Amino acid sequence: MAKFFSEREIRAIAVFLPLAGLLVLGVVLVRPKADPAAALRAEAEMEERADTLVMRPFDPNTVDYDGLRRLGLSKHEAVSLLKYRAAGKIFRIPEDLTLCYGIDDSLFRRLEPYVRIGRKYAIAPQEFRRGRVVAEPMPPSRFRLDTVSARYLRAIGALSKRQAEAFIRWRDLSGIYDMEELRACYVVSDSVAAALEPYIIFPERQTAPIDEPVEINTADSAALRSVVGIGERTVVSILNYRGRLGGFVCVEQLAEVPGVTERNYEKILKQICCDSCEIRKIDVNFATPKALGRHPYIPPQTLRKLLKKRQLKGGWSTAEELIEDKILTREEAARLAPYLRFGTRSGSDDE
């Protein structure tokens, strides 16, 4: 019977198999075991860091342990930075943070926008020029927006030098009289505007007396924009709402427009009027579901009841019938009635 392996090959296999077994056994024994407790501690530390995260400007030469923890640093990272500083090290530029053991590149990139090196330690140019070194941000206080300086906006950490100068030019050219116009400035982000809002004192807009009030149903965007209290965004909201509504029956409906604040509403009422003859009515008996559903006074639930009853009944002659059929309440009917027309099959206009 022929042999499959030579004696030399058999001896080699006999030596290899025990060695392979020992190697597998070593890998199994040396492999690190999972430590559930360590994993839970790491997860708890990450959750604690996320819950206390408050990004704000800081000086790494003076910030304390609690301040570092509020910035999102772990306990190990915060203690590492404090030990580095206790050893006599000084942070002169933001990049010096990367020399601190425990501050990796990803953490540095997150902290870099908020690093403010105080004038005492910062590397100043050979020929010092005022304003080159950013001082530690000062806490903001209430200020008038029409007289505030670029230097103050920089000092409280709201804007950079270029942003502050661009903001002052924008303000002097166009004027800023409310939060909507402040957000319209291209160098002011929504987050910065929200942070500054509690401290801003807006100037009163000085306008020439209005000879005639603006008729809100026929006014175009330019005419609406001339009304004190109506900004660019509010103009768009008014035009969109007027289109869905079919026109305003009374000026008080302006309070329903998104973006019209209570403060601006009082100003606007003195400068507008309303001609209810200009409103556009909708034929409740023949209008398409899309046309009916577009009206802000006909919510989806009311629309479903109306269409179902119209299919069975054919239509109505008065708003009172809509109340009797329990499609509208008396209050809803009173609000919607000026916009309804009850057409007949012989003379109806589909909308």
Side-chain angles (χ1 to χ4, degrees):
M1 183 174 180
K3 293 183 178 180
F4 290 102
F5 301 100
S6 66
E7 291 184 4
R8 184 176 180 181
E9 291 172 335
I10 292 173
R11 286 196 298 272
I13 293 173
V15 173
F16 172 74
L17 288 177
L19 291 175
L22 289 173
L23 179 62
V24 172
L25 181 61
V27 170
V28 172
L29 293 176
V30 173
R31 184 176 61 184
K33 296 182 179 180
D35 187 354
L40 290 174
R41 286 195 300 271
E43 183 179 354
E45 185 174 335
M46 292 303 294
E47 288 179 355
E48 182 182 358
R49 175 188 296 189
D51 290 342
T52 58
L53 182 62
V54 179
M55 301 306 293
R56 59 186 301 174
F58 72 100
D59 186 342
N61 292 303
T62 58
V63 66
D64 59 10
Y65 175 80
D66 291 335
L68 292 171
R69 295 286 286 146
R70 284 193 294 270
L71 287 166
L73 274 70
S74 66
K75 295 179 181 178
H76 171 73
E77 292 163 345
V79 171
S80 176
L81 189 147
L82 293 176
K83 285 183 176 178
Y84 182 85
R85 204 168 69 195
K89 304 294 184 180
I90 294 175
F91 300 96
R92 297 192 180 277
I93 60 175
E95 286 73 14
D96 283 344
L97 280 171
T98 59
L99 302 176
C100 178
Y101 179 76
I103 307 295
D104 56 22
D105 290 343
S106 62
L107 178 57
F108 170 71
R109 283 193 292 270
R110 197 181 74 214
L111 295 175
E112 184 182 14
Y114 303 95
V115 176
R116 304 288 188 272
I117 307 295
R119 183 167 297 173
K120 180 178 179 181
Y121 299 111
I123 298 177
Q126 293 180 351
E127 295 182 2
F128 178 76
R129 288 185 294 169
R130 191 177 185 86
R132 283 289 297 272
V133 180
V134 178
E136 185 176 352
M138 59 183 287
S141 57
R142 288 182 64 80
F143 61 90
R144 287 187 60 86
L145 196 63
D146 55 336
T147 58
V148 67
S149 65
R151 183 175 180 81
Y152 179 79
L153 294 174
R154 290 183 61 213
I156 63 175
L159 299 173
S160 67
K161 180 180 180 181
R162 290 187 178 181
Q163 289 173 335
E165 291 171 351
F167 175 81
I168 296 301
R169 289 195 297 269
W170 175 287
R171 180 200 67 188
D172 293 343
L173 286 173
S174 58
I176 298 176
Y177 300 95
D178 53 40
M179 287 302 300
E180 186 173 339
E181 293 181 352
L182 177 64
R183 291 188 176 93
C185 181
Y186 66 96
V187 297
V188 179
S189 64
D190 288 342
S191 60
V192 170
L196 290 177
E197 185 173 5
Y199 306 100
I200 295 176
I201 302 173
F202 288 104
E204 289 292 330
R205 191 191 301 267
Q206 300 297 324
T207 56
I210 298 178
D211 296 332
E212 293 184 5
V214 174
E215 205 291 301
I216 196 168
N217 284 327
T218 57
D220 57 13
S221 58
L224 290 173
R225 188 66 181 86
S226 67
V227 176
V228 177
I230 298 182
E232 293 180 5
R233 296 183 184 180
T234 310
V235 167
V236 176
S237 298
I238 292 174
L239 293 177
N240 289 339
Y241 192 76
R242 187 178 72 184
R244 292 178 56 213
L245 191 64
F248 296 93
V249 176
C250 60
V251 293
E252 286 73 19
Q253 287 175 287
L254 195 66
E256 303 169 8
V257 177
V260 176
T261 64
E262 183 177 353
R263 177 185 174 187
N264 287 348
Y265 173 71
E266 296 297 332
K267 292 182 182 178
I268 295 169
L269 284 186
K270 302 173 184 178
Q271 307 168 68
I272 62 173
C273 64
C274 179
D275 184 357
S276 59
C277 295
E278 298 290 341
I279 66 171
R280 185 179 67 256
K281 296 192 176 186
I282 186 170
D283 194 327
V284 70
N285 291 330
F286 298 101
T288 64
K290 182 177 179 181
L292 289 167
R294 196 164 53 234
H295 201 284
Y297 291 171
I298 304 179
Q301 183 178 1
T302 302
L303 178 63
R304 288 193 293 270
K305 291 192 294 185
L306 189 150
L307 294 175
K308 184 176 180 180
K309 192 69 175 180
R310 187 174 74 175
Q311 187 176 13
L312 295 173
K313 185 174 181 177
W316 300 269
S317 301
T318 63
E320 190 67 29
E321 294 181 22
L322 292 170
I323 300 173
E324 294 172 359
D325 289 339
K326 297 183 179 179
I327 295 173
L328 299 175
T329 64
R330 193 163 295 278
E331 292 77 12
E332 291 171 338
R335 188 167 66 155
L336 186 59
Y339 298 99
L340 297 182
R341 187 173 68 251
F342 299 89
T344 60
R345 179 64 62 183
S346 58
S348 65
D349 296 325
D350 287 348
E351 299 191 21

